[in-house]
Structures are given as C-alpha cells and as structure tokens.
Amino acid sequence: MKRLQLPLLSTLLLAAVAIASAFYLPGLAPVNFCEFNKPAENCKSVVNLFVNRLDSEESVIPYEYSYFDFCQADKNESPVENLGQVVFGERIRGSPYNISFLKNEECKLLCKKSYDTSAPSDVDRVNTLLKGMLKNYQHHWIVDNMPVTWCYDVEGGQKYCSTGFPMGCYVDPQGLAKDACVMNILYNKKDTFYLFNHVDITINFHSGENEAWGVGYDGHAGRIIAVYVSPRSIKHNKEPSSADCPSSALPMEIPANLPKNEKLDIYYTYSVYFSRNDNVKWSSRWDYILDSMPHTNIQWFSILNSLVIVLFLTGMVAMILLRTLHKDIARYNQIDSEDDAQEEFGWKLVHGDVFRPPQQSMMLAVFLGSGVQVLCMSIITLFFACLGFLSPANRGALMTCALVLYVCLGTPAGYVSARIYKSAGGYRWKLNVLMTALFCPGVVFSLFFAMNIILWVKGSSAAVPFATLVALLAMWLCVSLPLTFVGAYFGFRKRAIEQPVRTNQIPRQIPEQSVYTKPVPGIIMGGILPFGCIFIQLFFLLNSIWSNQTYYMFGFLFLVFIILMITCSETTILLCYFHLCAEDYHWWWRSFLTSGFTAFYLFIYCIHYFLTKLTITGTISTLLYFCYTLIMVFLFFLLTGTVGFFACFWFVRKIYSVVKVD
C-alpha cells in the first residue's frame, strides 16, 4: 500500500501543475485569431475594436464617445463593465470599425457627416467637436483587451507610446499649436482646427505556428501583441476610394469662425495593416507600453535612494529611542527607598495621568475605527496587486477590489471603535456604532455625490448612473452598517482594556512647555519624515490618475507603504516620548494628529502638482480636482493617524508596564 502512495502523489502533483499552468484570470486569457477566409475551431476571425471615453489633461470632465458627433456602431456590443470601471467613468462601447484578421484595408470609408452652418443644431455639433479639439481631448480605443497606442518620437531620440490619441488639434492666431499639429508641416494655418478624420491602424501579431494551439495554420493564425494608430487629417471632396489617403493629402481644415450658410462634409476613413512579429510573446505584450513611460529609468534610482534614506533615518530613530528608554527604565527600577520615590522625574512622573481618557473620546474612537477599515483595505488591496490580480490589463479591478473590501471590513471598524470608546469610559454605544458606520463614509459619499451632480449637469461619462449610485448606497447601508454593528457588539461585550497603572482622581498640572514640546509644533514636525518616504511614489501615482500614465510598480508601492507605516509609528513614538518627559500626558489625540498631519503635506503637494505639472483650466475642472484630492487626503489622514495612534498606544502601555509604580 505504501508503494502505491508515491506514484499516486506524483500523479496528483503533476495534475495540479498542469491545472496551475492553464489558469488565467477571467477576461485575461489569450484569444486566438485566424485568417478571415480560413475559419477554424477555437479561433476568431473578427477583430473587435471598442471605444472608451474621451478625456483631456486640460479638463477633469471626460465624455463618452457618443457625446461627440463621430461615427456610431449599428449594434451596441459592449463588454460588461465592473463596478470599478463605472465609478471611474470608463464607458466601453462597440465601434463601427470592421476589421478582419489578416485582411488589410486601404482608405475604407467609415461614415459621412454633413453639417449645415445655417442650422443651429448642426452648428452645436460642430462646436462640440471644436471644443474637444481646443481642450485636446484624447480617444481611447481597445483591441483584444489591449489599449490602442499612438507612438511618436520625443526628446533624446526616444519613442513614447501613449494609450490615447487626439481627436484633432488647433493652431491659434499666433501660430502656436499642440504637439499633434507640430508633427505635420501641413497643419500651419492660423486660427484653424484640424480634425483627425483618418486613422492608420497597424496590428502586430505573434504567429502560433510553433505553438501547440496553432500547429497546421502555417502563419495564418496568431495572437495580437500590439495595436498602433496614426491619426491624420485628410480633406475628401468626394467619397474616398482606396487611393485617396496618401500622406501628402491636404488636411481637413475647419475655421475657428464658422462661415454661415455653408455646407460642411466630413468623411471618416481608416486603413488597417497587419504585421507579423514572432519576437514578442503574448505574455510580454504590455512591456512596450510600460517601458515607454517617461522617466521610468530615473524613478527606479529615485525610489531606491528614497528607501535607503528612510530606512537609515528610521533605524537611527529606533536606536536612539531604545537606548534612552533602556537607561530610563533601569534607573527607575533601581529606586528602592521612599525618599528616592519622591524624587521621580521624567515620564514616570505622569504615570497617574497618562491613561486619563481624552476629551472627545467618541470622535477619536470613530476616527480609529474608520482608520482601521481603510488600513486593512489598503494592505489587502496592495497584496493582491503585488500578486498580479489587479494588473492594468484587468481594468477597474483595483477600484472594485478596494470598494468591496471597504464594505466588507465594517466588522473590524466597529470592533476597534467599540473597544477604544469603552476603554475611555464611554457608554453611549448606539451612538458610537452609528457614528463609526456613517460619519467618515458619509463625508466621502457627500463629496462624491456633490461631484456627481456637477458631472451629471455637464453630461460627463464620469457621472455615476443612478442605478450604480443606489447600489453603492445599498452596499453601504445594507452590508457595511450591519457588519459594523456586529463588530461593535463583540467589542462592547469584551471587558475594557486594563491599563498597567491606575489613574489619579485629580489631574496633574502640566508645567510650561518649551516651543518644541508644545502640541502644534510637534504635530507639524511629525508629518515631515513620513511624507519624505512617499513623495517620489506620489508623483507617479498622481501621473497615473491625472496624466493617463499606466502605474504598474505595485511591489515598490507596497514596500513604500510598509516603510510609511514604520516611519509613522517611530516618529509618533519618538515625539510622544519627548512630550511625556516634559510631563505632558495628553498623548491620545496628539499621537493621532502627529502622523495624521502627513495628509496636510500630501494636500500641499497636490496643490504644487496642480500648479506646476497640470494644465487643467476652468472653474469646474479645478473644483472637481480639489474635491477628488480632499477625498484622497481625508482617507490618508485616517490611515496614517490610526497607524501612529496604535503605535503610540502600544509604546505607552509597554513602558509603564515595566517600571515599578507604587
């Protein structure tokens, strides 16, 4: 019987390896394509091109593809969007482009749009196009779950591949133009718009003739590894044919001041070319997009340099703190006589007041409960992102994961809030649990709802539909709220946290403090070091949010996040120790605000980023930017404040539990 166990285990192991090697996340499995006139099993001949929202670096307000008067698909075959995509404003729709695998097309007509400048409705449609070109709105297309990229040369002879391409460009009255117009010498007429009504689509594919799934197709099958687009402006005076789209064709000019009582005909055309490239595997097809991100090589060195500096500083803080504490504890424990006991000094003097409940203990408990919720959500989300489950190819997965986790983590929030509140002598448990479940999420939802109303009015694709808004409310009130009650129930049932020393009935008078040990200077200084370890990563995170750059270095982000927590903890502990030595025992709120003040520096940096890196114009876009920033800053405040508080809470309990107190 034992002899049969080894072969059986080997067989099971091989089966497990085979299953694991064939595992793909939903929606991320490779798709096999075969030539349009040679259909085969398990492969597709039609290459679907989907269009996403249009956005701009000069405006925070994105729009759906149908908002502009482009060619529309007859059938709206749209993929199912997840919760994260809907909240982020992605609107993926089918397109009228008819592409068959390995079938090249030359100057194929997509549709014709005619406008009469004497008709107000036609003038409005043209003006919408002109405003989009003036704000430099970008198309975002998707083929085989890959972004269609527009690649062009940048400084230093390098090539940059953008995941969006402009709908057109504008040459102002002074002759200045956007990059898309500068690249073509034909686009030089002042005070004129150039609509990109023609695109050259190049599809690179990896042939499968040497792979198991493609044996026998002899190069007539493959997997798509890259899709490039080259937009152009072409003036067609009649319905185009295959020879009417040369590179030297005159551009489609639209004057800034539309002439009245004239006809304007716009022909939209496209060309498709297939190119075989067996040097790039399907599994590496995202590399050319990620490697072309600007300053990619610089940020590796900057991040490593920042991590070394922060690790060195936190190590120094920990070493100084531990050595000083060790001497203090040894000195206090050597006091034996009553006369010596009367000569207490330093942080031991305030042992009878250090665990005195703080003012506004209810609000502190609410912040800590919500902070634990955000902290747990962040750790789990980053962990899954490091494993590759939330890669850029899985659109909306990051936001969906964060939202679902936040809702499901109501139990630890209620438990922590109840435990802290009960230990501080609180007894209004119903109000505590309601505040924990409703206050902080209510602040975020109120800002989000206010922005959503603005986006609804502007007709933006970022406006969350009413049904999704109801679903978010249902998740909050029907899932998160009951889970918070469950956590609070178990938290209040447990005994209050037993402190290592008794609290005196009469509060001790706090002596006059120096400038450095006063609350405000300490809180202001406390956020500097934690912010120093994140500001480099913060630059690339903001670029991914506001400049359409793909963020993919979740391993570094997770490492920086861990160092942020360590830095917040050590900084708060160090400042708390200094304040206790100065006989100031009000550490509860101060420990939360010391590390939480890092969020203030985050807000200042976001203002700096807005003024120096972004080209956002308009009052509405500016208001939306700062509303989004306030949500991010508030959540970051809860997270860092909670980390600092619990580190200080552990530190204070630890040092007062190891000294002899009468």
Side-chain angles (χ1 to χ4, degrees), residues 8-316:
L8 180 60
L9 290 174
S10 302
T11 305
L12 292 175
L13 181 61
L14 290 174
V17 171
I19 294 172
S21 63
F23 173 75
Y24 290 102
L25 293 176
L28 301 182
V31 178
N32 304 329
F33 292 91
C34 54
E35 194 170 355
F36 65 98
N37 55 2
K38 295 183 179 180
E41 188 178 356
N42 297 327
C43 72
K44 297 171 58 178
S45 59
V46 177
V47 180
N48 293 318
L49 189 152
F50 295 100
V51 294
N52 203 342
R53 64 177 184 179
L54 285 86
D55 56 19
S56 170
E57 293 186 11
E58 299 180 19
S59 175
V60 182
I61 306 173
Y63 292 103
E64 280 204 51
Y65 186 81
S66 59
Y67 179 82
F68 300 96
D69 195 30
F70 297 129
C71 304
Q72 304 296 324
D74 295 332
K75 296 180 180 179
N76 190 11
E77 299 178 355
S78 304
V80 178
E81 296 166 345
N82 57 42
L83 181 61
Q85 289 177 293
V86 175
V87 173
F88 265 140
E90 291 196 24
R91 300 293 183 268
I92 302 176
R93 302 287 183 260
S95 75
Y97 292 88
N98 185 13
I99 303 174
S100 298
F101 192 69
L102 295 182
K103 182 179 181 181
N104 293 336
E105 301 282 1
E106 283 284 350
C107 202
K108 188 173 182 180
L109 177 65
L110 190 65
C111 72
K112 175 187 176 182
K113 295 288 183 178
S114 299
Y115 305 96
D116 186 353
T117 56
S118 61
S121 59
D122 286 3
V123 173
D124 289 340
R125 288 189 295 161
V126 176
N127 284 333
T128 301
L129 287 173
L130 300 186
K131 289 178 182 178
M133 288 184 279
L134 185 64
K135 288 283 189 180
N136 196 28
Y137 271 84
Q138 306 267 323
H139 288 277
H140 293 279
W141 292 357
I142 301 169
V143 172
D144 190 31
N145 202 36
M146 277 285 292
V148 177
T149 54
W150 175 44
C151 298
Y152 54 88
D153 295 327
V154 294
E155 295 180 1
Q158 296 182 343
K159 186 178 289 292
Y160 173 63
C161 292
S162 170
T163 55
F165 65 94
M167 57 184 289
C169 60
Y170 171 62
V171 181
D172 64 17
Q174 287 74 37
L176 300 176
K178 303 288 184 184
D179 293 340
C181 279
V182 173
M183 292 177 189
N184 196 311
I185 59 174
L186 296 176
Y187 309 154
N188 55 13
K189 195 171 182 179
K190 296 181 180 179
D191 202 22
T192 302
F193 290 90
Y194 294 91
L195 178 67
F196 293 155
N197 59 332
H198 175 85
V199 289
D200 294 313
I201 303 172
T202 303
I203 301 177
N204 288 2
F205 67 96
H206 174 83
S207 177
E209 61 179 347
N210 296 322
E211 299 182 14
W213 58 268
V215 173
Y217 291 120
D218 192 24
H220 297 288
R223 292 173 177 173
I224 294 175
I225 57 174
V227 183
Y228 304 98
V229 64
S230 178
R232 287 191 285 148
S233 180
I234 300 178
K235 184 178 181 180
H236 299 288
N237 294 320
K238 59 179 182 178
E239 185 171 323
S241 62
S242 59
D244 289 339
C245 297
S247 58
S248 59
L250 293 176
M252 181 69 209
E253 300 176 352
I254 304 177
N257 296 317
L258 290 174
K260 296 182 179 180
N261 301 321
E262 286 192 10
K263 299 285 187 180
L264 177 63
D265 294 330
I266 300 177
Y267 293 90
Y268 288 90
T269 56
Y270 67 101
S271 301
V272 182
Y273 309 99
F274 285 86
S275 175
R276 178 174 170 176
N277 183 0
D278 290 341
N279 296 324
V280 179
K281 296 292 183 70
W282 182 88
S283 58
S284 304
R285 62 179 186 165
W286 278 81
D287 290 356
Y288 84 98
I289 299 176
L290 303 179
D291 292 341
S292 68
M293 291 298 162
H295 312 298
T296 301
N297 295 327
I298 297 174
Q299 75 171 342
W300 286 91
F301 172 77
S302 301
I303 292 171
L304 286 173
N305 185 52
S306 175
L307 294 179
V308 170
I309 293 173
V310 171
L311 286 173
F312 174 76
L313 289 175
T314 52
M316 289 293 293

Side-chain angles (χ1 to χ4, degrees), residues 302-379:
S302 301
I303 292 171
L304 286 173
N305 185 52
S306 175
L307 294 179
V308 170
I309 293 173
V310 171
L311 286 173
F312 174 76
L313 289 175
T314 52
M316 289 293 293
V317 169
M319 184 178 66
I320 294 171
L321 193 60
L322 290 175
R323 289 187 64 182
T324 307
L325 266 177
H326 180 73
K327 291 180 180 179
D328 287 348
I329 293 172
R331 184 167 48 187
Y332 290 151
N333 288 337
Q334 288 174 358
I335 298 175
D336 296 325
S337 65
E338 295 182 359
D339 295 334
D340 293 337
Q342 293 176 0
E343 297 178 1
E344 290 181 350
F345 55 90
W347 51 269
K348 190 179 179 183
L349 270 175
V350 296
H351 65 82
D353 299 276
V354 72
F355 292 107
R356 189 177 302 280
Q359 295 182 349
Q360 301 297 328
S361 58
M362 168 82 76
M363 189 53 76
L364 178 62
V366 168
F367 281 165
L368 291 173
S370 297
V372 166
Q373 197 171 2
V374 176
L375 177 63
C376 295
M377 176 202 72
S378 303
I379 293 174

Side-chain angles (χ1 to χ4, degrees), residues 394-408:
N394 197 359
R395 291 178 179 81
L398 187 69
M399 189 65 176
T400 303
C401 180
L403 286 173
V404 172
L405 283 174
Y406 184 84
V407 169
C408 295

Side-chain angles (χ1 to χ4, degrees), residues 362-642:
M362 168 82 76
M363 189 53 76
L364 178 62
V366 168
F367 281 165
L368 291 173
S370 297
V372 166
Q373 197 171 2
V374 176
L375 177 63
C376 295
M377 176 202 72
S378 303
I379 293 174
I380 299 173
T381 302
L382 286 176
F383 176 74
F384 281 116
C386 290
L387 295 179
F389 291 103
L390 309 179
S391 68
N394 197 359
R395 291 178 179 81
L398 187 69
M399 189 65 176
T400 303
C401 180
L403 286 173
V404 172
L405 283 174
Y406 184 84
V407 169
C408 295
L409 289 170
T411 301
Y415 180 82
V416 169
S417 179
R419 291 280 283 159
I420 295 295
Y421 182 60
K422 185 176 182 180
S423 299
Y427 57 90
R428 293 186 293 174
W429 68 271
K430 293 181 181 178
L431 180 60
N432 171 258
V433 68
L434 285 174
M435 289 281 288
T436 304
L438 301 178
F439 181 77
C440 292
V443 171
V444 175
F445 186 81
S446 298
L447 286 171
F448 180 76
F449 185 73
M451 290 187 295
N452 208 50
I453 292 176
I454 296 174
L455 293 170
W456 268 337
V457 173
K458 301 294 289 187
S460 172
S461 65
V464 176
F466 181 76
T468 306
L469 208 59
V470 172
L472 290 173
L473 272 173
M475 290 172 62
W476 177 22
L477 299 178
C478 300
V479 180
S480 182
L481 181 62
L483 289 176
T484 307
F485 268 94
V486 172
Y489 171 77
F490 287 105
F492 274 106
R493 284 198 62 183
K494 293 184 72 70
R495 294 179 58 186
I497 300 174
E498 185 177 349
Q499 308 300 355
V501 292
R502 295 191 302 269
T503 301
N504 296 334
Q505 293 183 354
I506 302 175
R508 180 185 180 87
Q509 185 175 0
I510 299 175
E512 184 68 23
Q513 300 291 305
S514 64
V515 175
Y516 301 103
T517 56
K518 288 184 178 179
V520 174
I523 291 172
I524 293 175
M525 290 187 298
I528 295 176
L529 188 59
F531 178 76
C533 74
I534 65 166
F535 77 96
I536 295 177
Q537 278 289 329
L538 187 60
F539 172 77
F540 297 104
L541 284 173
L542 293 178
N543 275 349
S544 68
I545 296 173
W546 302 112
S547 298
N548 295 320
Q549 294 183 15
T550 304
Y551 189 88
Y552 61 97
M553 295 193 303
F554 292 107
F556 266 117
L557 183 61
F558 192 58
L559 181 60
V560 170
F561 181 77
I562 293 174
I563 292 178
L564 171 66
M565 291 192 292
I566 296 173
T567 311
C568 285
S569 302
E570 293 188 345
T571 305
T572 307
I573 289 173
L574 183 63
L575 291 174
C576 179
Y577 172 73
F578 290 153
H579 290 125
L580 290 176
C581 288
E583 302 178 26
D584 186 353
Y585 51 84
H586 294 308
W587 62 271
W588 295 77
W589 271 106
R590 186 180 296 150
S591 62
F592 184 87
L593 296 175
T594 297
S595 55
F597 202 75
T598 310
F600 175 78
Y601 294 104
L602 170 62
F603 184 69
I604 297 298
Y605 185 84
C606 289
I607 295 175
H608 167 76
Y609 183 84
F610 176 82
L611 296 176
T612 58
K613 302 297 181 182
L614 296 181
T615 56
I616 292 176
T617 57
T619 305
I620 299 298
S621 292
T622 302
L623 178 64
L624 290 172
Y625 172 85
F626 282 103
C627 284
Y628 283 119
T629 300
L630 284 175
I631 291 177
M632 180 172 63
V633 167
F634 180 66
L635 294 176
F636 191 74
F637 168 73
L638 294 175
L639 187 150
T640 52
T642 300

